[in-house]
Amino acid sequence: ACRAAVATLELFEQLDALAANQQLAQRISAAFAPLTAHPRVRHARQQGMIWAWDIESPLPDFSRRYHAAAMARGLLLRPIGHTLYCMPPYVLDDEAVAHLGRMALEALNATLLQESELLEQEVSA
């Protein structure tokens, strides 16, 4: 395990991985800007290569619904409660970054549309 850790650290140094990740993080943040600006998003934040957004939703099963909507769009994003987390891999190209940003927002909009439809059904019943 120590040998693998040392090899990883050497690789990080040779590839200047930290500088590359800072540039990638900037591109990902730009791709997530529409999600961050969404009117139902509260407390958007980023630390390194981790992003999180709290979503205003009355649904107790919001996380299950969002997870399903994201998976349907090819994203493996797993919210916890009403908080979306994203910890993308370090190997994303520009096309994958753009896809991640678009589909994360699309999954949120689809989940909130489901929420709206469910609430309308409750009112009608």
Side-chain angles (χ1 to χ4, degrees), residues 36-57:
T36 298
H38 194 284
R40 299 281 292 275
V41 169
R42 304 290 180 260
H43 193 223
R45 55 217 181 265
Q46 176 206 354
Q47 183 67 41
M49 291 289 287
I50 302 171
W51 287 260
W53 306 265
D54 296 335
I55 308 300
E56 186 179 284
S57 172

Side-chain angles (χ1 to χ4, degrees), residues 35 66 69-70 73 100-112:
L35 176 65
Y66 183 87
R73 289 159 178 80
L100 175 61
R102 279 192 318 271
M103 293 302 109
L105 178 61
E106 192 175 293
L108 177 60
N109 286 331
T111 304
L112 295 176

